[in-house]
């Protein structure tokens, strides 16, 4: 059983760099922090390279081919982004993007959603409500940051995530006759609207909403009926309501 | 026009203390940070004592009786909890709790929701979807923290917020024949369920859900149909879906 006790160990120093997006993209790897997320990754058969664990806090998982390395609490702290890490952190390979068969499906498109917690929460909701995949535009928060992953509660391992230029992707959808839906103030009532079986639904930036150039391409606009003085819902809540409604209309 | 230029000024030092919950409760006051929230507070006729503003960033509002005090950027920074404050911060009086007439209404009850962003987001959703009031249990995040207020987007000024012992409050509801609803894994389908006109709906802690003692008192359990591998929705998303569904069934 391999053991590392110094944060100065070259492998630890290298893995610690995966806290930065640039290095994650270069390496095609990312960190998975904590027992629950790790089990979700294993159950989804994600490829794991190393598992670092503090033997005073937990046992290494049995059901993995990853190299399990005993290490100190200090090393776990160095690798973690949370104030009280659980004592286990893995290095995982980013999964290959699935071939998206755009002949059918129910896609969630995120345009410039900035907050990693929001991106993660919408991925979690999309997975729970049976969507086919989530497509992140180029300016969204990184799906492999620790905060995004934590907010997904592991859902990102169970649903295809694509990263695309959304202008180009909406063209592709159009060619495949998959209609683009979006939410807007003056659309059809979400409750009354007839929705197609296959679709892509677009959600936008926390402050500015969906960019006008993309909104122009929407075939159908949906409105969540509102009864109060506050002008809008949080984007994760709006997405939750719309995805629930579309899911229940199947 | 009064002007303060030193962060050592006694009034500034006193107002800065309002960043701490303990002092807010003692003084019955709290801070409102930023132009949008301040305008929402003014439109809701909240009583404001002082408005501190940086004249290089913005003008003081016209439509208020508060004392408007010119001050330096440094003072705004000292009073704010955000990394890039907008240059205007007010000291507001906590509103008196409204007399809750429990003969009718649609209440949202939060049991031990810990994250201030979650408490704020649920208040925002409840206001947008026309609920009568939000009742916070004793262990919820503080409604007057800057993060909670920011997450409400000002909705907290437009909907009654009560702080109560929920065990006692659910007894009161029972006496007034207002049924208690909650979400659970094995309840009636949210889509199919018949719901009463007046009700209180309970949401619980991010990790543990609603406490069993309160769940026992629920007259009706509702389940959001789930299709994925992830076990649960984020509490703000679950609340959004349930409140939307209850709102649209009126």
């Amino acid at each position: 059983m391999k053991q590392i006790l110094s944060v100065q160990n070259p492998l630890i120093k290298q893995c610690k760099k995966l806290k930065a997006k640039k290095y994650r993209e270069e390496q095609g790897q990312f960190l998975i922090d904590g027992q629950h997320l790790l089990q979700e990754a294993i159950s989804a058969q994600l490829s794991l390279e190393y598992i670092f664990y503090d033997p005073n806090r937990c046992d290494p998982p049995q059901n993995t081919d990853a190299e399990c390395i005993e290490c100190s609490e200090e090393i776990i702290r160095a690798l973690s982004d949370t104030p009280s890490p659980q004592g286990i952190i893995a290095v995982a390979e980013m999964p290959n993007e699935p071939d998206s068969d755009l002949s059918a499906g129910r896609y969630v498109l995120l345009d410039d959603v900035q907050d990693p917690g929001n991106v993660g929460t919408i991925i979690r909701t999309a997975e729970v409500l049976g969507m086919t995949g989530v497509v992140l535009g180029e300016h969204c928060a990184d799906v492999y940051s620790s905060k995004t992953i934590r907010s997904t509660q592991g859902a990102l391992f169970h649903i295809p995530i694509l990263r695309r230029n959304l202008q180009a992707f909406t063209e592709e959808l159009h060619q495949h006759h998959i209609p683009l839906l979006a939410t807007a103030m003056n659309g059809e009532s979400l409750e009354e609207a007839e929705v197609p079986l296959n679709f892509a639904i677009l959600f936008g930036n926390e402050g500015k909403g969906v960019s006008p150039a993309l909104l122009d391409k929407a075939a159908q606009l949906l409105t969540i009926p509102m009864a109060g003085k506050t002008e809008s819902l949080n984007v994760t809540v709006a997405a939750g309501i719309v995805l629930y409604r579309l899911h229940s209309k199947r």
Side-chain angles (χ1 to χ4, degrees), chain A:
Chain A
M1 179 67 73
K2 198 168 164 183
Q3 197 186 47
I4 299 180
L5 295 173
S6 163
V7 286
Q8 299 305 324
N9 177 290
L11 178 61
I12 299 301
K13 285 168 87 168
Q14 184 194 322
C15 293
K16 202 179 148 186
K17 288 189 193 164
L18 294 173
K19 290 166 129 182
K21 179 178 179 187
K22 182 165 175 285
Y23 197 75
R24 287 195 292 269
E25 309 252 301
E26 272 172 38
Q27 296 295 309
Q29 294 185 318
F30 65 101
L31 297 168
I32 298 176
D33 186 344
Q35 200 70 262
H36 171 71
L37 289 173
L38 181 55
Q39 282 306 332
E40 291 296 315
I42 290 170
S43 82
Q45 301 190 295
L46 201 75
S47 174
L48 303 174
E49 188 167 8
Y50 303 109
I51 295 174
F52 302 100
Y53 70 100
D54 172 358
N56 297 319
R57 297 290 305 282
C58 54
D59 294 322
Q62 298 300 310
N63 47 351
T64 173
D65 297 332
E67 183 175 359
C68 295
I69 301 173
E70 255 191 49
C71 62
S72 61
E73 191 188 340
E74 193 191 1
I75 288 173
I76 299 290
R77 282 194 185 283
L79 294 173
S80 178
D81 264 339
T82 65
S84 38
Q86 291 172 25
I88 193 158
I89 293 187
V91 173
E93 307 291 331
M94 289 183 188
N96 292 326
E97 284 206 357
D99 294 326
S100 48
D101 164 19
L102 286 182
S103 60
R106 303 183 143 216
Y107 294 91
V108 177
L109 275 50
L110 300 187
D111 172 33
D112 195 16
V113 176
Q114 289 288 308
D115 181 85
N118 288 344
V119 169
T121 300
I122 295 173
I123 290 172
R124 177 179 177 185
T125 306
E127 202 278 329
V128 168
L129 295 177
M131 298 293 132
T132 310
V134 178
V135 186
L136 305 182
E138 291 159 326
H139 305 292
C140 281
D142 184 27
V143 65
Y144 294 115
S145 80
S146 67
K147 186 152 186 229
T148 309
I149 297 175
R150 205 158 53 243
S151 300
T152 71
Q153 289 279 311
L156 85 161
F157 306 130
H158 302 300
I159 186 170
I161 314 269
L162 310 177
R163 292 182 287 178
R164 288 284 191 282
N165 174 299
L166 291 188
Q167 284 290 339
F169 191 77
T170 51
E171 290 294 337
E172 265 188 80
L173 288 168
H174 187 69
Q175 281 161 23
H176 289 83
H177 307 290
I178 296 194
L180 184 65
L181 317 183
T183 53
M185 297 298 268
N186 52 353
E188 289 174 73
S189 155
L190 179 64
E191 202 54 27
E192 311 297 333
E194 300 255 339
V195 291
L197 190 63
N198 298 306
F199 60 79
I201 173 94
L202 191 55
F203 299 103
N205 178 269
E206 289 85 350
K208 292 176 293 180
V210 171
S211 65
L214 282 171
L215 204 56
D216 269 357
K217 299 195 171 184
Q220 191 175 9
L221 297 178
L222 301 171
T223 299
I224 300 172
M226 299 194 188
K229 290 188 175 156
T230 308
E231 283 166 10
S232 67
L233 290 162
N234 170 290
V235 65
T236 67
V237 174
I241 290 171
V242 171
L243 296 182
Y244 166 77
R245 196 73 200 98
L246 296 178
H247 176 66
S248 69
K249 285 194 182 192
R250 280 216 252 230

